[in-house]
Amino acid sequence: MAAEGPSIRLIQVAEHPRLLKMKEMFVSKFGSIPEFYVRAPGRVNLIGEHIDYCGYAVLPMAIEQDILIAVEPVKSQTFYLANTNSFFLDFSTSVNDIHINKTKPQWHNYFLCGLKGIQDHFNLKNPTGMNCLLDGIIPPSSGLSSSSALVCCAGLVTLRANGLSLSKTELAEICTKSERYIGTEGGGMDQSISFLGEEGMAKLIEFNPLRATDVQLPSEASFVIANSCVEMNKAATSHFNTRVMECRLAAKFLAKYKGLKWKEVEICNCLEISLEELRTQILSKNTQDVLLFKLYQRAKHVFSEAARVLQFKKICEEAPANSIQLLGDLMNQSHVSCRTLYECSCPELDRLVDLCRQFGAQGSRLTGAGWGGCAVSLVPTDKLPDLLANVQEAYYQSKKGRLAVEKPCLFATKPGEPSARRAFNECLLITR
Ligand code: GLA
């Protein structure tokens, strides 16, 4: 893959209602016009859940929902961040004094991750201050990667404002590391697809070294994203990190004892380490008090899910007549594995997945970290209208409008189509 940087486009702001609205808000907030805009998309993961942090390939697709930030570098050392949504309060700090609050992860902390990531990478002694206005349309805590899109956007904002450049893969790797300042030990899927993806094009993302390959999905397939409306902030609980630690420990066990009897082993004895070493050198802060680690079933999920990703890609390449059915089967197996072995689903998601299948999806599964958030379903395009109407009625109407009214809960993406319709569909810099 070419080591190219994110695209830079000259776009007439006046021709894009969303950019124009941001520009107007920026002017009334800061009394000046933005110098540039940055965009980073969210993603839906089609298959390959909770395996990126073990180094295995995943298969996500960038989506239309994104984060846009309007930026003006300023001479002072002040960083000021505002949001078009007044629910999110303004934030300001000195660019030389970045503190990321892990205990109470608020929205601006994700910006600070990207900001600090670039500062640290270049060892910037005198970073520029900036005024920023953010407009985000990825539903938060929904498994569509709103937090990583914000980290990526912030990384690119900081890069540009300081007159620096990096390739997309370098940016993805730096933003992956810097999101960990918030305390979650995620893999690189979200940041990689945000930088390397194009809306509507599925990509196989492989790690070490990071690379992205187009995966052509069957032309008669649509994907439906349905929000369970259960919010899950992976930085606010220890569920996510506990899974990462379990995988880390499982890998250590497999390396140390090939053929180990996996039931009832005592971790410290087997690894010949003290409890203190286990806590401080292997576990993350928010998993140090976890009493039970389920290594066998987590590892079983990881290995089987990693194999499903490769099968999924192979079916897409070989395109047999029953592709949709085969791909759907893999997605269904993935959900069962997430639910039973990885225990990262929840009753609402399970219900939603069942309803999607009942109303015509060939396959349906949770997407993203889980414990809430969205399901993604593979639907033959001719069944799409019926499925949308039925799921709307069965899941959302019955929820009596809770959350459902304000948030986009159910939408379809037809791979390959949207990018042609829209002016921008990737992570990029926009200069007016
Ligand atoms: C989150 C993380 C990703 C990945 C998924 C689960 O989105 O940020 O790195 O681990 O969960 O597949």
Side-chain angles (χ1 to χ4, degrees):
M1 188 174 23
E4 71 201 41
S7 315
I8 301 180
R9 301 265 187 89
L10 269 169
I11 284 180
Q12 290 302 321
V13 171
E15 287 168 14
H16 295 275
R18 193 164 154 221
L19 289 175
L20 188 60
K21 187 179 137 225
M22 286 178 75
K23 182 178 173 182
E24 283 163 2
M25 277 185 84
F26 195 99
V27 172
S28 72
K29 179 109 205 151
F30 299 111
S32 47
I33 57 167
E35 195 171 288
F36 63 92
Y37 301 77
V38 168
R39 170 182 194 264
R43 59 102 188 93
V44 58
N45 188 20
L46 302 183
I47 196 156
E49 222 59 84
H50 286 280
I51 59 172
D52 58 346
Y53 48 76
C54 298
Y56 291 107
V58 292
L59 217 153
M61 172 165 84
I63 53 173
E64 178 181 345
Q65 285 75 5
D66 61 7
I67 288 188
L68 280 172
I69 303 184
V71 190
E72 178 199 23
V74 293
K75 295 235 155 49
S76 75
Q77 305 254 281
T78 306
F79 162 59
Y80 198 105
L81 180 63
N83 199 310
T84 55
N85 180 345
S86 57
F87 175 81
F88 299 103
L89 301 179
D90 288 11
F91 172 82
S92 73
T93 188
S94 159
V95 276
N96 286 316
D97 188 27
I98 305 296
H99 292 286
I100 299 172
N101 187 338
K102 292 184 180 181
T103 48
K104 222 177 152 216
Q106 288 168 314
W107 74 287
H108 62 258
N109 284 298
Y110 290 96
F111 192 110
L112 296 182
C113 287
L115 177 66
K116 187 169 158 51
I118 296 296
Q119 286 186 358
D120 288 359
H121 180 80
F122 288 97
N123 199 9
L124 291 184
K125 294 281 177 265
N126 202 9
T128 182
M130 24 187 197
N131 289 329
C132 296
L133 175 70
L134 182 150
D135 186 57
I137 55 168
I138 310 170
S141 304
S142 66
L144 300 179
S145 192
S146 58
S147 42
S148 301
L150 174 48
V151 175
C152 293
C153 222
L156 190 49
V157 163
T158 312
L159 192 77
R160 171 76 179 190
N162 286 282
L164 301 162
S165 58
L166 285 170
S167 70
K168 292 187 208 177
T169 44
E170 286 167 324
L171 270 163
E173 279 167 346
I174 293 167
C175 290
T176 299
K177 273 196 227 136
S178 56
E179 189 164 336
R180 299 191 187 126
Y181 293 137
I182 206 94
T184 45
E185 300 277 331
M189 165 169 69
D190 308 346
Q191 301 80 1
S192 306
I193 190 69
S194 196
F195 281 114
L196 303 170
E198 306 147 69
E199 180 192 329
M201 172 57 81
K203 302 259 179 184
L204 181 80
I205 303 278
E206 295 168 278
F207 303 97
N208 308 313
L210 176 59
R211 56 216 187 276
T213 315
D214 288 356
V215 175
Q216 206 62 55
L217 296 160
S219 57
E220 66 282 25
S222 289
F223 286 88
V224 168
I225 299 172
N227 196 339
S228 70
C229 300
V230 176
E231 291 201 4
M232 155 64 182
N233 177 343
K234 65 183 182 297
T237 73
S238 62
H239 296 316
F240 187 88
N241 276 2
T242 301
R243 297 301 182 278
V244 181
M245 300 307 130
E246 286 168 327
C247 290
R248 245 179 236 178
L249 286 166
K252 287 191 194 299
F253 271 102
L254 289 172
K256 192 156 194 312
Y257 301 95
K258 251 181 118 211
L260 174 83
K261 283 204 176 57
W262 53 269
K263 277 185 184 166
E264 293 163 18
V265 288
E266 210 281 305
I267 291 175
C268 295
N269 280 349
C270 287
L271 292 178
E272 292 169 19
I273 53 171
S274 70
L275 184 58
E276 197 46 31
E277 281 170 318
L278 173 72
R279 285 167 63 94
T280 55
Q281 289 173 25
I282 301 184
L283 302 182
S284 70
K285 244 197 159 102
N286 66 348
T287 59
Q288 287 181 352
D289 298 319
V290 174
L291 296 176
L292 179 70
F293 291 103
K294 301 184 178 178
L295 307 194
Y296 173 78
Q297 66 186 71
R298 307 301 189 230
K300 197 169 171 194
H301 164 78
V302 169
F303 295 135
S304 62
E305 184 75 355
R308 279 188 287 273
V309 170
L310 301 180
Q311 287 164 24
F312 195 98
K313 177 172 177 269
K314 194 156 174 263
I315 295 165
C316 290
E317 280 165 0
E318 292 173 357
N322 59 345
S323 292
I324 294 211
Q325 185 208 324
L326 297 175
L327 297 175
D329 288 349
L330 289 172
M331 291 174 71
N332 293 335
Q333 288 162 21
S334 167
H335 186 75
V336 172
S337 185
C338 284
R339 174 166 53 80
T340 57
L341 295 175
Y342 223 70
E343 297 178 284
C344 61
S345 189
C346 66
E348 291 85 348
L349 262 177
D350 292 339
R351 188 166 159 257
L352 189 52
V353 159
D354 287 346
L355 286 171
C356 290
R357 278 187 215 149
Q358 187 186 323
F359 293 123
Q362 263 314 316
S364 186
R365 54 180 297 279
L366 67 84
T367 184
W371 296 286
C374 289
V376 59
S377 304
L378 170 56
V379 185
T381 302
D382 58 343
K383 296 204 172 138
L384 196 57
D386 281 354
L387 178 132
L388 292 174
N390 287 326
V391 174
Q392 180 70 37
E393 193 177 326
Y395 191 80
Y396 298 102
Q397 313 284 320
S398 69
K399 286 186 84 77
K400 303 216 166 47
R402 192 174 71 99
L403 290 161
V405 215
E406 295 152 44
K407 297 188 178 172
C409 286
L410 185 65
F411 53 92
T413 62
K414 174 118 183 63
E417 266 190 350
S419 42
R421 282 204 315 263
R422 284 160 27 85
F424 39 90
N425 71 339
E426 59 189 326
C427 187
L428 84 172
L429 264 164
I430 300 167
T431 53
R432 68 212 142 85

